[in-house]
Amino acid sequence: MATKIPEAPRVGMVSLGCPKNLVDSERILTKLRSDGYAMSPDYAGADVVLVNTCGFLDSAKEESLEAIGEAIAENGRVIVTGCMGKEAEVIRARFPNVLAVTGAHQYEEVVGAVHDAAPMPPSPFVNLVPDAGLKLTPRHYSYLKISEGCNHRCAFCIIPALRGDLVSRRPDAILREAEKLVEAGTKELLVISQDTSAYGVDIRKEPRMWKGQEVIPHMTDLARELGKIAPWVRLHYVYPYPHVDQVIPLMAEGLILPYLDIPFQHASPSVLRAMKRPANEAKVLERLKKWREIAPDLTIRSTFVVGFPGETEADFQYLLDWLDEAQLDRVGAFRFEPVEGAAANDLPGAVPEEVKEERYARIMEKTAAISAAKLQAKIGRMLEVIIDEVGEEGGATGRSQADAPEIDGEVFLRDAGHLSQGDIVQVEIEDADEHDLYGVPLA
Ligand code: SF4
């Protein structure tokens, strides 16, 4: 039986007032899109309607109240945000049924209100952000979506059918959003899209002005500019195309984090062919070696699918041997599961469930051993760590540059009660296990 993907809730937006309000609306919608929400162009199709109000003049207030009234009459499920949020009592007195009222620039609250009013059904097959990350991210890190859709047609994936071909955001809009996020306290930007390495292929000839200079819509140019804006910039969902070589020097320079999330999914050429994977070429191991020569601290995270239709024991063994060579730092694995509408469902050679389980256990054992050895080698080193949480008894939890939130490991700190969430500190690593590090901050 194929897994059915639940439909994303739809959000309608009415944006009133000045260009600043419009930028806020864009930020709210961008965040909601990156959380997986769909947009509705009309009241009827929306699960919830956001009214971003203006309260600058009495006439603007009246216009805002009228817009809220219209949204309530047409849809009924309304969240109010923007400048009139200051006058929540006025709004509630006139419209007791509004679901939530949040003020101007209370970007996290309004996105949170949407999550409460129309929760996203979790689905590992379509969400770029891990399920745990669907809660609102804390202020010190933010996901930054740079494009929507995908030009590939991987056999197990329904994203192109759901979201269409790749559509890149303008680089200046991305950089403006990044700057606003950093102004609001973000220290770490997590760049996401279905294929970050393909960013800009659709708008390559449309450079945009940013701070007096042209920025070309290309992953390298964008990464360089983002690196100037945020202390930490982390790239997710990158395919090992030759042009990715150009971002590695940015990592060596410390402009962006020496971290690449590359969803390899498999290594055996025949399985990759059947999967119709992009950048499926034999030279990947050589490429990884060269990258590590340039940026020795480069962390590579990846995901793999075991039990894809037609995967033989020899294919699987090829994958295990490849992993021995590739020495990836972080690996997630999935047992193949048909998803309704995916081309792979019709492929011959279904792998029995017990074989999938057995292969899954073997790949997890192999990758845990590689991860443990890599972490052991970090004992005694001084690493930069971002603080996620400060505990009550002098401890704190953070992440090194090698750890993306929710999906990688953590660094557990002692004697760290003086630190605050979002601090980036030097930590001496004292111990390690299979996934996590333990250490003490230097200051
Ligand atoms: S690259 Fe493949 S798996 Fe990723 S979104 Fe595109 S089609 Fe799906």
Side-chain angles (χ1 to χ4, degrees):
M1 256 263 292
T3 303
K4 196 166 167 34
I5 303 297
E7 253 189 52
R10 295 186 168 271
V11 180
M13 166 71 96
V14 179
S15 188
L16 305 164
C18 64
K20 263 175 75 184
N21 227 29
L22 190 64
V23 171
D24 277 348
S25 295
E26 277 174 11
R27 280 184 67 199
I28 293 165
L29 291 182
T30 305
K31 173 69 179 128
L32 291 171
R33 284 297 282 144
S34 76
D35 288 353
Y37 283 87
M39 296 302 130
S40 172
D42 50 29
Y43 289 122
D47 293 294
V48 61
V49 176
L50 277 175
V51 182
N52 192 3
T53 57
C54 174
F56 187 54
L57 298 170
D58 282 351
S59 57
K61 281 187 194 168
E62 198 40 50
E63 193 193 347
S64 294
L65 289 169
E66 276 169 23
I68 298 167
E70 182 180 305
I72 297 228
E74 296 288 330
N75 181 283
R77 294 176 55 74
V78 174
I79 294 170
V80 178
T81 186
C83 300
M84 266 212 82
K86 286 201 294 288
E87 300 184 38
E89 339 66 64
V90 176
I91 296 170
R92 288 205 181 278
R94 193 142 146 196
F95 306 108
N97 296 342
V98 289
L99 298 174
V101 181
T102 68
H105 317 306
Q106 287 179 344
Y107 158 72
E108 289 154 343
E109 282 79 359
V110 66
V111 174
V114 174
H115 276 266
D116 290 342
M120 260 310 282
S123 168
F125 300 103
V126 290
N127 293 345
L128 285 170
V129 176
D131 286 352
L134 281 176
K135 68 174 179 18
L136 271 188
T137 53
R139 205 165 262 267
H140 65 291
Y141 66 81
S142 302
Y143 294 96
L144 182 65
K145 192 163 196 177
I146 62 169
S147 61
E148 183 58 77
C150 182
N151 288 345
H152 304 296
R153 296 293 181 264
C154 300
F156 52 78
C157 179
I158 54 155
I159 293 280
L162 282 182
R163 309 227 164 127
D165 282 343
L166 177 122
V167 177
S168 302
R169 292 180 63 201
R170 294 165 52 145
D172 53 337
I174 298 171
L175 294 168
R176 195 178 331 120
E177 186 188 350
E179 204 171 60
K180 283 198 166 277
L181 289 168
V182 170
E183 279 165 17
T186 288
K187 301 282 181 61
E188 178 180 4
L189 290 172
L190 302 135
V191 175
I192 55 169
S193 69
Q194 305 297 342
D195 177 358
T196 294
S197 31
Y199 169 70
V201 289
D202 51 331
I203 52 168
R204 189 71 88 229
K205 297 209 174 70
E206 297 169 37
R208 299 283 176 173
M209 294 306 286
W210 172 251
K211 310 259 174 206
Q213 283 190 341
E214 275 196 347
V215 184
I216 298 167
H218 185 281
M219 178 180 69
T220 314
D221 299 71
L222 187 68
R224 184 181 299 110
E225 293 305 319
L226 288 172
K228 293 179 197 163
I229 294 173
W232 280 19
V233 174
R234 196 183 289 285
L235 302 182
H236 287 279
Y237 314 114
V238 173
Y239 288 95
Y241 296 112
H243 75 261
V244 175
D245 294 357
Q246 298 164 14
V247 295
I248 310 297
L250 304 182
M251 297 178 179
E253 280 172 43
L255 210 49
I256 61 171
L257 294 182
Y259 180 100
L260 278 178
D261 179 355
I262 309 177
F264 286 112
Q265 309 300 19
H266 214 282
S268 154
S270 58
V271 178
L272 287 171
R273 252 194 321 276
M275 286 179 166
K276 301 206 169 74
R277 292 293 289 163
N280 157 24
E281 54 154 306
K283 298 223 170 85
V284 166
L285 285 174
E286 265 173 51
R287 177 152 281 127
L288 298 188
K289 190 161 162 260
K290 275 211 203 97
W291 289 351
R292 285 176 170 138
E293 280 163 17
I294 300 166
D297 275 334
L298 176 62
T299 294
I300 299 178
R301 122 164 296 274
S302 190
T303 44
F304 292 89
V305 173
V306 299
F308 190 77
E311 181 193 62
T312 62
E313 175 57 27
D315 290 320
F316 182 68
Q317 191 56 50
Y318 185 103
L319 169 58
L320 293 185
D321 294 344
W322 187 92
L323 286 167
D324 270 332
E325 288 268 329
Q327 291 287 305
L328 305 182
D329 300 78
R330 303 283 187 186
V331 169
F334 301 91
R335 308 152 188 89
F336 172 76
E337 204 179 301
V339 175
E340 199 175 78
N345 304 353
D346 302 327
L347 291 177
V351 175
E353 288 305 316
E354 62 278 13
V355 177
K356 279 188 205 167
E357 281 305 323
E358 186 248 359
R359 289 181 186 166
Y360 176 77
R362 281 159 71 198
I363 192 171
M364 291 316 282
E365 191 186 339
K366 157 89 50 199
T367 54
I370 295 172
S371 163
K374 292 211 148 205
L375 294 181
Q376 281 293 317
K378 293 185 179 178
I379 296 176
R381 284 189 63 184
M382 214 65 80
L383 298 181
E384 206 170 74
V385 167
I386 191 165
I387 304 301
D388 285 326
E389 222 177 294
V390 180
E392 277 169 12
E393 284 161 24
T397 311
R399 288 171 292 108
S400 74
Q401 297 190 342
D403 305 305
E406 315 291 347
I407 50 175
D408 293 327
E410 290 179 309
V411 184
F412 296 102
L413 305 183
R414 64 176 175 89
D415 301 338
H418 58 292
L419 298 176
S420 307
Q421 189 184 57
D423 284 351
I424 296 178
V425 292
Q426 290 292 320
V427 169
E428 184 182 345
I429 301 301
E430 299 177 316
D431 203 358
D433 57 28
E434 270 184 7
H435 299 289
D436 302 313
L437 296 169
Y438 300 81
V440 61
L442 279 199

